Amino acid sequence: MEVIKDNAALLSNIEVLTLLENLKSDLKRPKYSVQINEMKGQLSEKEKSLQRLNTIVYEAVKYLEEMPSATQSPESVKNFLTAIAPYSLTK
């Protein structure tokens, strides 16, 4: 992977949580299901990667759901950004 343009956009926790929840629902589709090869009892590399991705998504969602971002709405984030705009804050 190559970074084309760093700092192109910053995401809030609520945006990350929304993206991860969408990804989590996509990973539940049969196309992404992980099945153990009954003959060998082992997982292919693709299946191992999907398991790792599922773990990362699960842990990240679990963490973000414990943060204030779980109770925020996109509108509240937008209102906050509008309110602080006059201060010309940078990251």
Side-chain angles (χ1 to χ4, degrees), residues 28-59:
K28 289 182 180 178
R29 293 184 180 160
K31 168 179 160 178
Y32 294 108
S33 66
V34 176
Q35 299 174 355
I36 296 176
N37 184 340
E38 294 178 16
M39 299 293 285
K40 298 179 182 176
Q42 297 179 351
L43 298 174
S44 70
E45 286 302 314
K46 181 179 178 182
E47 291 168 331
K48 287 179 186 178
S49 296
L50 284 173
Q51 272 192 333
R52 290 183 196 119
L53 178 60
N54 278 323
T55 302
I56 292 168
V57 169
Y58 171 79
E59 291 292 332

Side-chain angles (χ1 to χ4, degrees), residues 17 20-21 24 54-67 69-70:
L17 181 59
L20 289 175
E21 286 174 342
K24 188 174 157 182
N54 278 323
T55 302
I56 292 168
V57 169
Y58 171 79
E59 291 292 332
V61 167
K62 183 178 169 185
Y63 171 78
L64 289 171
E65 285 177 341
E66 295 173 0
M67 298 291 111
S69 60

Side-chain angles (χ1 to χ4, degrees), residues 72-85:
Q72 294 174 339
S73 67
E75 294 82 28
S76 66
V77 173
K78 183 178 179 182
N79 292 339
F80 173 73
L81 292 174
T82 303
I84 65 167

